[in-house]
Every structure is written in C-alpha cells, then in structure tokens.
Amino acid sequence: HAPHREQQDAQEVEAELTAYLLLSTLGVEADALSSARAYCQHYLGQTLLDEKVAIRVFGAASRILAAGQCVQEHAGEEAA
C-alpha cells in the first residue's frame, strides 16, 4: 500500500501545484492562493520538490495556458 499511496500523493501535489500556478497567473485573490499553498505544503510535508516534478508542473501549466490562449484567439476570430 505505501508505494501506491506515495504515487497518489505525488500526483495530488503535481495537480495542486499546477492549479496553484494557473490561479496565480490568472490573478486569483490571495486568500485562495494561500489555501492552495497550504494544501500543497501539507502533502509535501518536509519533502523537497523533485526537479522532474517541477518540470512537469510548469509544463502542464504552460500547456493549459497556451490552450486557453488558442481558444480565446479562435473565439475572437469567429466574432470578427
């Protein structure tokens, strides 16, 4: 059970960190960011974030933001 639980925790942290970056980039209020940060810190505990995880998190956030930008540009073209 322990390795499976650790994998789930790692995935949870990646998802939450990605959401945190997106919220921060989109200008969500500080209270929401504080809650998200505390949630991530709870899951990480004393564990340092692995560089590979950080790369995946930033990559996922970048792809999501780029996809949103494409949708927004496409919607603007249709409106014109």
Side-chain angles (χ1 to χ4, degrees):
H1 285 300
H4 179 68
R5 178 67 182 172
E6 288 176 13
Q7 178 68 19
Q8 285 180 320
D9 286 351
Q11 291 171 339
E12 181 72 16
V13 167
E14 286 185 43
E16 289 299 325
L17 288 171
T18 301
Y20 177 85
L21 288 175
L22 292 170
L23 292 171
S24 179
T25 300
L26 296 172
V28 171
E29 63 188 50
D31 288 344
L33 291 175
S34 178
S35 296
R37 184 173 47 254
Y39 188 77
C40 291
Q41 288 172 333
H42 166 74
Y43 265 95
L44 283 171
Q46 298 299 315
T47 305
L48 293 177
L49 189 64
D50 182 81
E51 184 177 354
K52 291 178 184 179
V53 172
I55 289 169
R56 285 195 300 268
V57 166
F58 278 100
S62 293
R63 288 189 299 277
I64 292 168
L65 290 170
Q69 186 67 31
C70 289
V71 169
Q72 187 177 26
E73 289 172 2
H74 183 68
E77 292 170 4
E78 288 181 355

